Amino acid sequence: MKMKWEDVYDIFESAALWENGHDMYWYRLMWALMEYKKMNVFQNEADRIKVISRAFAIIRIYTDFIGKCFDDEDYEEISEIYSDGVFNFLFDSTDVHEIFSVLSEELGTKRTFYSMFITCVEFRNGRISYIEYDDESDDEDYDDDDDYYTDDYEDDDDDELFEDEDSVDDDEDNVFENCSEDYYYSFESYINVLAKSSMSLLNDFTPEKAAGYIYLAKNMLPAKNKIN
């Protein structure tokens, strides 16, 4: 049996940080990767719990990454909720290492960083704009065009998201049956931006970005080379 995206959607949605729902794009991407690696397959109850634990491991990685990049109250709230017994029940720390290994093998550190950081963006006419978070700014100010940094991204033929493009979604007609059309369109936009990106977000590093990148780099090293 296989645990499909719609089976774990509620788990990820309950951990969503952003009002625009863009963190769900990364979770969906990660579950596509689980499907691609056949890590969503289970034969018995113990296997099923293991697959669910991988979902929580994905959540842990994302929330820890965002915690490094942004001082976000929603992150603190979600982190507290999931730390208060939920992770202890379903979450195995070895699963985090397993997910990091898959990310290292399939995406690499730069692509992983990019795929996570652009969940903090808006998609506009084939371009992406991401919010420069400022502790002195109010949330309502983020709608102002001056609060966005916008850049165009060119094709990078050397970068492939997966070995097989069809592996992103084996059954597009069914996977999003619990999602709105806007969600489906936005996820497709997210995938297209990833596929065409030239990693431009890495050209203007900030201390916050560096913290997130270092977090990923340290955890995606082979075990024998990990930095304590």
Side-chain angles (χ1 to χ4, degrees):
M1 293 179 285
K2 296 181 180 179
M3 196 167 295
K4 300 179 181 179
W5 169 241
E6 54 264 35
D7 298 325
V8 294
Y9 181 88
D10 288 344
I11 293 175
F12 289 115
E13 186 180 41
S14 67
L17 298 174
W18 308 127
E19 290 184 3
N20 60 17
H22 284 193
D23 38 4
M24 293 295 289
Y25 308 157
W26 193 76
Y27 290 144
R28 175 65 189 97
L29 178 73
M30 289 301 99
W31 206 252
L33 192 54
M34 295 299 99
E35 295 169 347
Y36 174 65
K37 301 291 287 187
K38 302 187 185 307
M39 294 170 65
N40 65 328
V41 177
F42 63 97
Q43 301 296 332
N44 51 47
E45 182 64 13
D47 290 345
R48 189 183 74 86
I49 293 297
K50 181 69 173 179
V51 173
I52 292 176
S53 183
R54 288 175 178 143
F56 281 89
I58 291 169
I59 292 170
R60 169 63 80 189
I61 290 171
Y62 184 85
T63 54
D64 283 353
F65 173 83
I66 294 300
K68 299 291 185 182
C69 291
F70 303 110
D71 181 15
D72 189 270
E73 292 181 0
D74 287 340
Y75 161 76
E76 295 295 340
E77 181 178 346
I78 290 293
S79 181
E80 289 178 4
I81 291 174
Y82 274 85
S83 296
D84 188 19
V86 178
F87 276 131
N88 292 334
F89 179 65
L90 289 172
F91 175 79
D92 186 337
S93 61
T94 60
D95 294 325
V96 172
H97 302 308
E98 182 183 36
I99 301 300
F100 272 125
S101 294
V102 171
L103 289 172
S104 180
E105 178 183 350
E106 298 298 331
L107 300 183
T109 305
K110 289 184 178 180
R111 173 74 66 173
T112 300
F113 170 86
Y114 188 90
S115 70
M116 298 175 81
F117 197 85
I118 67 165
T119 59
C120 315
V121 309
E122 298 294 342
F123 298 102
R124 295 181 177 182
N125 299 321
R127 296 161 51 166
I128 64 171
S129 306
Y130 66 94
I131 300 173
E132 292 284 3
Y133 286 87
D134 186 343
D135 290 340
E136 297 179 358
S137 298
D138 295 329
D139 290 343
E140 58 267 22
D141 291 335
Y142 294 160
D143 291 331
D144 191 292
D145 288 342
D146 292 336
D147 289 318
Y148 288 86
Y149 167 85
T150 305
D151 198 358
D152 291 317
Y153 297 89
E154 304 295 335
D155 290 350
D156 186 348
D157 294 334
D158 293 331
D159 262 333
E160 294 293 338
L161 185 58
F162 296 106
E163 293 178 5
D164 181 358
E165 292 181 0
D166 294 336
S167 67
V168 173
D169 197 338
D170 293 328
D171 192 354
E172 291 184 354
D173 293 333
N174 295 327
V175 166
F176 290 96
E177 63 183 18
N178 293 333
C179 306
S180 68
E181 291 182 3
D182 287 342
Y183 181 90
Y184 178 83
Y185 174 79
S186 297
F187 178 74
E188 290 301 305
S189 299
Y190 175 67
I191 292 295
N192 289 335
V193 169
L194 279 180
K196 297 177 180 180
S197 74
S198 59
M199 311 304 289
S200 299
L201 287 181
L202 298 180
N203 293 333
D204 59 337
F205 251 27
T206 63
E208 292 76 18
K209 286 184 188 178
Y213 187 87
I214 291 171
Y215 162 74
L216 293 176
K218 288 172 60 177
N219 283 282
M220 291 171 69
L221 284 172
K224 62 180 181 181
N225 296 327
K226 282 191 181 298
I227 302 171
N228 294 324

